């Protein structure tokens, strides 16, 4: 299989393979939003005592996916965008107790339907993606195929191999549960290097599962993107019959929900970036206080915390107090407000570039201290086509940019704006620091809104 584009951004601060379990918190701040969800339907009241796994709020725009209480505690609603749990009780003192029955399940749903309901109420459905749109798929829809990506190549998101290595048996059992939701559709297991020791163990563990197909890809960001993988496997976008995508943590969540009937109330996140003293993986629960996570771990004073990876993450909002329910990593970069002493003697030594045109290209690539500052580098497009070289979607970002710059949205659509998977590589490599990624995401949103408006008027 031939892949186009991709590039591994050299950034210092890769999290170690160690998974550190964070201590039990006294208070949890659960944001009522995440990358895909808006938990606008509150299910609890001020002062209410909740038990572990209880529904705190739901997202009515996403099949009512729930925000669950990771621990027992007392609800406080005085911050508009969070559900705060005070007096949090450690898991060993008040563990999860399964509730009686499940919500209404359609009579014809069968055992597969019961399982899907279980995934929803126990918080595991959140880990499913529509491979092409990255949105939450319909829990009762039928996929054409399932793609399990064991990778996360963006610096720095939680690495699937770290999670799998810890619990390969659980992972394999999760794939079996996943298969029980399907009829005959294939499951593609994406591995980075099929000859590695972990790949050998994975291959051994799924031996005999004819419906699992191993799929090797080059180790280049963002070839692990679900849309890139689906297209490489020959699956185009079909709204009625999507391709489901899951990361390794999603498979573990499926096992937890269907094997143990337990809610998915904690997740592994990566904490990395040049400004983290000892980058590591952390096991934390949604709502865990971010201040407490970062305390004593940062090397610089003026830092920018990114919620997500260095390329597609967003600056952590100042009002966000706890981890959101989809967080896969925190990346910490230097804001660089102060000038470096005698910095003019080594111009470009701290600037990373795809074209390797700065002095930094002479140094070790892994030591690049990516910073948040643009430092006056914004310029017009110089038609260097570096963005085209790295684009995994095979489109021409500089051409689409020029159409959008002139408000020619239809021309941008004809140039296949829809194929952009939003990996952010074009913005990273652009020597003129044009914000292509943000421009394309906004334009795609405009196109989708127009399409939705047309569908509702029809
Ligand atoms: S155009 Fe889209 S898919 Fe291509 S590099 Fe840019 S963000 Fe990635
Ligand atoms: S990388 Fe930037 S400057 Fe180069 S062609 Fe693309 S948009 Fe233009």
């Amino acid at each position: 299989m031939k892949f186009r584009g991709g590039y591994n951004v050299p950034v210092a601060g890769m999290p170690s393979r160690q998974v550190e379990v964070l201590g039990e918190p006294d208070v949890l701040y659960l944001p009522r939003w995440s990358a895909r969800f808006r938990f606008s339907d509150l299910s609890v009241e001020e002062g209410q005592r909740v038990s572990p796994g209880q529904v705190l709020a739901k997202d009515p725009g996403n099949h009512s996916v729930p925000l669950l209480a990771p621990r027992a505690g007392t609800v406080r609603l005085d911050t508009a965008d969070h559900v705060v749990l005070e007096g949090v009780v450690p898991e060993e003192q008040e563990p999860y107790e399964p509730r009686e029955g499940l919500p209404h399940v359609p009579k014809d749903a069968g055992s597969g339907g019961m399982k899907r309901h279980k995934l929803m109420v126990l918080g595991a459905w959140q880990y499913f993606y529509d491979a092409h749109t990255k949105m939450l798929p319909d829990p009762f829809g039928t996929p054409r195929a399932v793609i399990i990506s064991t990778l996360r190549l963006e610096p720095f998101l939680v690495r699937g191999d770290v999670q799998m290595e810890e619990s390969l048996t659980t992972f394999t059992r999760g794939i079996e549960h996943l298969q029980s939701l399907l009829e005959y559709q294939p499951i593609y297991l994406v591995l980075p290097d099929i000859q590695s020791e972990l790949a050998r163990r994975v291959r051994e563990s799924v031996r005999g599962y004819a419906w699992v197909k191993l799929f090797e890809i080059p180790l280049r960001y963002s070839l692990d993107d679900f849309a890139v993988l689906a297209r490489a496997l020959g699956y185009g976008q079909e709204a009625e019959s999507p391709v489901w995508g899951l990361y390794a943590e999603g498979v573990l969540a499926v096992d937890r929900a269907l094997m143990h009937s337990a809610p998915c109330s904690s997740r592994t996140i990566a904490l990395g970036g040049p400004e983290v003293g000892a980058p590591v993986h952390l096991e934390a629960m949604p709502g865990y206080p971010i201040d407490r996570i970062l305390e004593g771990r940062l090397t610089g004073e003026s830092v920018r915390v990114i919620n997500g990876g260095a390329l597609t993450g967003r600056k952590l909002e100042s009002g966000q107090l706890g981890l959101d329910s989809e967080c896969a990593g925190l990346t910490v970069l230097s804001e660089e407000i102060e000038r470096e002493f005698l910095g003019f003697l080594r111009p470009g030594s701290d600037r990373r570039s795809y074209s390797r045109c700065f002095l930094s290209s002479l140094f070790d690539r892994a030591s690049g201290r990516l910073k948040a500052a643009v430092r006056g580098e914004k310029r017009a497009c110089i038609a260097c086509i570096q963005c085209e070289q790295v684009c995994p979607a095979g489109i021409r970002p500089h051409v689409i940019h020029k159409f959008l710059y002139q408000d020619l949205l239809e021309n941008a659509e004809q140039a296949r704006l829809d194929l952009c998977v939003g990996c952010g590589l074009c913005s990273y490599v652009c020597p003129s620091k044009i914000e292509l990624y943000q421009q394309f995401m906004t334009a795609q949103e405009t196109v989708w809104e127009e399409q939705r408006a047309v569908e509702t008027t029809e």
Side-chain angles (χ1 to χ4, degrees), residues 221-222 228 231 312 387-388 390-398 400 417 419-427 429 436-438 440-441 444:
Y221 176 71
S222 58
V228 173
R231 287 177 207 150
T312 62
C387 51
E388 192 178 322
V390 296
C391 178
I395 53 180
R396 302 169 76 196
H398 54 107
I400 296 177
L417 167 69
L419 291 182
C420 168
V421 299
C423 67
L425 266 182
C426 50
S427 292
V429 302
L436 301 154
Y437 162 66
Q438 286 84 352
F440 298 170
M441 293 300 95
Q444 279 189 346

Side-chain angles (χ1 to χ4, degrees), residues 7 64 137 173 264 274 328:
Y7 173 62
S64 291
R173 203 171 51 206
C264 306

Side-chain angles (χ1 to χ4, degrees), residues 142-146 179 181-187 211:
T142 308
R144 276 174 292 160
V146 179
Q179 200 275 334
L181 303 176
L182 308 171
E183 291 163 14
Y184 52 84
Q185 297 88 346
I187 295 178
W211 30 270

Side-chain angles (χ1 to χ4, degrees), residues 5-10 221-222 310-311 351-358 365 370 377 379-392 395-398 423-438 440:
Y7 173 62
N8 286 330
V9 177
Y221 176 71
S222 58
L311 280 90
R351 298 182 191 200
R352 289 282 134 184
S353 146
Y354 171 71
S355 58
R356 299 174 69 72
C357 56
F358 291 120
R365 288 170 64 73
L370 189 69
E377 287 163 310
R379 291 184 293 259
C381 174
I382 54 168
C384 66
I385 68 158
Q386 288 179 15
C387 51
E388 192 178 322
Q389 286 166 5
V390 296
C391 178
I395 53 180
R396 302 169 76 196
H398 54 107
C423 67
L425 266 182
C426 50
S427 292
Y428 176 78
V429 302
C430 177
S432 294
K433 288 288 155 261
I434 297 170
E435 291 175 349
L436 301 154
Y437 162 66
Q438 286 84 352
F440 298 170

